[in-house]
Amino acid sequence: QVQLVESGGGSVQAGGSLRLSCVASPVIDSCMGWFRQAPGKQREGVAAIYAGGARTIYADSVKGRFTISQDNGKNTVYLQMNNLKPEDTAMYYCAAGTLWACNTWSSSGPDRETRFGSWGQGTQVTVSS
């Protein structure tokens, strides 16, 4: 099982930027994803990336503002978040899964998170207006 540790969360004003990091041990898995959960809401998938970084997937709500990337040499996955909005406020989680998790990302709906077997502890992002 992959161990995941997130960092980089914080408090910013609307329009600001943050970069989240997720260090995977021992190595990045075939599919890495970022999820978020706001108080009183279900956890939702934000972005995912295939091993090697050749393909990325984004939720409509973050397209054009967030970028997921990875550095295999550092076993780290990043989520660059620009033009942040108050509705982006949430706990952000890194998750690792097999290729199946990425291949079924678009079709799995609310079951999406069940296809990831490893999770980090989360990092809080707060965006004020």
Side-chain angles (χ1 to χ4, degrees):
Q1 193 167 5
V2 180
Q3 303 297 318
L4 303 171
V5 179
E6 304 100 330
S7 63
S11 297
V12 296
Q13 289 191 326
S17 298
L18 284 173
R19 187 177 79 157
L20 306 183
S21 299
C22 171
V23 179
S25 178
V27 293
I28 291 175
D29 212 332
S30 302
C31 176
M32 300 295 295
W34 284 98
F35 289 74
R36 67 186 180 186
Q37 187 168 23
K41 294 188 177 181
Q42 281 191 316
R43 188 153 54 184
E44 63 169 339
V46 175
I49 186 167
Y50 283 77
R55 185 179 168 192
T56 56
I57 311 167
Y58 296 96
D60 288 342
S61 58
V62 305
K63 280 181 182 176
R65 301 189 298 121
F66 291 11
T67 303
I68 188 171
S69 62
Q70 64 184 59
D71 184 332
N72 290 330
K74 296 182 178 179
N75 292 324
T76 301
V77 178
Y78 303 99
L79 185 68
Q80 178 67 45
M81 305 184 295
N82 297 329
N83 190 21
L84 282 161
K85 304 176 180 181
E87 51 264 42
D88 294 318
T89 295
M91 184 72 78
Y92 282 72
Y93 298 89
C94 179
T98 65
L99 280 176
W100 179 59
C102 275
N103 288 340
T104 59
W105 177 277
S106 297
S107 60
S108 52
D111 292 334
R112 184 172 295 131
E113 65 177 277
T114 66
R115 294 162 194 222
F116 288 81
S118 300
W119 292 82
Q121 81 290 350
T123 185
Q124 178 67 38
V125 171
T126 302
V127 184
S128 59
S129 58

